[in-house]
Amino acid sequence: MNAVEIRSLTLAFEQQALFTDFNFDLPQQQWTVLLGRSGVGKSTLLRAIAGLENTAIQQGNIHFPRPLKLAWLAQQDSLYPWLSLLDNVQLEQHLKGKKTRQSRQQAEHLLAAVQMENHLHKGCQQLSGGQRQRVALARTLMQNADLILMDEPFSALDAVTRLQLQDLACDLLQQKTVLLITHDPQEAIRVGDRIYVLHDPRRPLNPAHLPEGKKPRDLTENPQSALQQMLFHQLLQGAPHELV
């Protein structure tokens, strides 16, 4: 069963058409990756799925076969500096005035799961970028959502921290439906169950690439190396000549 079904969708941003007659299915309990260059419209599509870009929809529809709770993990962690780490993780409960001993314990458990239990005394401004994104991941988990929308959440991190957060997300978001947008073929291969290359959203999507092996994957293995070359080739096909 699909978590999201998109049919004949046309999206425009500032009067510029981004997607034309776009069709896409998002299967449940898998990591689906949309891989594409910057500016191709990936974030606009993600925001439309989240219901944040309704004015951009010119025609078509985004259908949820059953009601879903959505969570968003973005490149910017959006932590509130005046809140403690525990309250940032409990943000939904904090805003609704529904914090309890149980919710605090759950927040503490999730911060431990993302390896932040030794930093509870710190303010957000004292954390590194990777640590802040770990807290943001814990906050996402706290929402217990059915569908996680990820807008390049690890792209601003250094290489080692990026790999660590990818590993954590794969471990902690098992059995969840995840839609990740990225411009990094290596990230797509490491974490994706299926990968679509979005080089021209005005044309139908090519069939999904299905990486072999259990994620997070070892990029040095031969099947992954071959897939990486294929993904780079597809991305370059859609790149302007002056950028190639």
Side-chain angles (χ1 to χ4, degrees), residues 22-64:
F22 183 74
N23 296 283
F24 177 67
D25 289 330
L26 185 66
Q28 288 185 350
Q29 297 183 340
Q30 294 187 28
W31 281 58
T32 300
V33 180
L34 285 178
L35 174 66
R37 295 173 293 106
S38 298
V40 77
K42 305 184 302 297
S43 292
T44 302
L45 176 62
L46 208 67
R47 289 175 60 83
I49 293 172
L52 302 175
E53 286 286 357
N54 292 332
T55 58
I57 299 176
Q58 306 295 301
Q59 67 177 30
N61 64 83
I62 300 173
H63 175 61
F64 298 88

Side-chain angles (χ1 to χ4, degrees), residues 20-234:
T20 303
D21 200 26
F22 183 74
N23 296 283
F24 177 67
D25 289 330
L26 185 66
Q28 288 185 350
Q29 297 183 340
Q30 294 187 28
W31 281 58
T32 300
V33 180
L34 285 178
L35 174 66
R37 295 173 293 106
S38 298
V40 77
K42 305 184 302 297
S43 292
T44 302
L45 176 62
L46 208 67
R47 289 175 60 83
I49 293 172
L52 302 175
E53 286 286 357
N54 292 332
T55 58
I57 299 176
Q58 306 295 301
Q59 67 177 30
N61 64 83
I62 300 173
H63 175 61
F64 298 88
R66 67 180 183 87
L68 295 176
K69 183 177 182 181
L70 277 63
W72 184 285
L73 187 61
Q75 181 176 340
Q76 300 299 323
D77 54 74
S78 300
L79 300 183
Y80 291 92
W82 57 88
L83 296 179
S84 67
L85 298 195
L86 283 170
D87 281 349
N88 268 289
V89 174
Q90 296 176 95
L91 184 62
E92 183 177 4
Q93 292 79 11
H94 179 81
L95 293 176
K96 294 179 178 179
K98 294 184 177 180
K99 289 190 299 181
T100 63
R101 178 182 299 177
Q102 182 179 6
S103 70
R104 179 186 175 90
Q105 290 175 343
Q106 185 179 1
E108 290 174 343
H109 171 74
L110 290 172
L111 284 167
V114 298
Q115 302 168 9
M116 287 296 293
E117 69 271 26
N118 295 327
H119 302 275
L120 298 183
H121 62 285
K122 295 181 180 179
C124 296
Q125 68 278 5
Q126 297 175 279
L127 303 179
S128 68
Q131 290 172 333
R132 293 174 64 96
Q133 202 65 335
R134 288 173 186 267
V135 177
L137 176 57
R139 181 180 58 194
T140 300
L141 293 165
M142 186 76 180
Q143 297 176 53
N144 195 29
D146 306 293
L147 170 60
I148 316 298
L149 302 176
M150 291 189 171
D151 189 359
E152 305 199 51
F154 312 129
S155 61
L157 304 175
D158 65 81
V160 173
T161 304
R162 187 182 311 131
L163 292 177
Q164 291 174 337
L165 266 292
Q166 290 169 357
D167 292 353
L168 268 175
C170 284
D171 180 42
L172 298 173
L173 293 173
Q174 293 184 50
Q175 308 304 317
K176 294 291 186 179
T177 304
V178 176
L179 177 58
L180 168 70
I181 63 171
T182 182
H183 60 266
D184 182 356
Q186 292 184 338
E187 179 170 74
I189 293 170
R190 288 201 82 232
V191 304
D193 292 305
R194 56 183 60 221
I195 303 168
Y196 293 94
V197 178
L198 193 64
H199 57 79
D200 187 348
R202 294 165 298 181
R203 297 180 180 178
L205 281 174
N206 289 328
H209 298 281
L210 306 176
E212 298 179 15
K214 183 180 179 180
K215 60 180 189 289
R217 298 180 183 87
D218 183 352
L219 296 175
T220 63
E221 296 179 357
N222 287 333
Q224 316 312 347
S225 299
L227 177 55
Q228 182 174 317
Q229 291 301 315
M230 187 182 303
L231 294 178
F232 272 116
H233 177 70
Q234 290 189 6

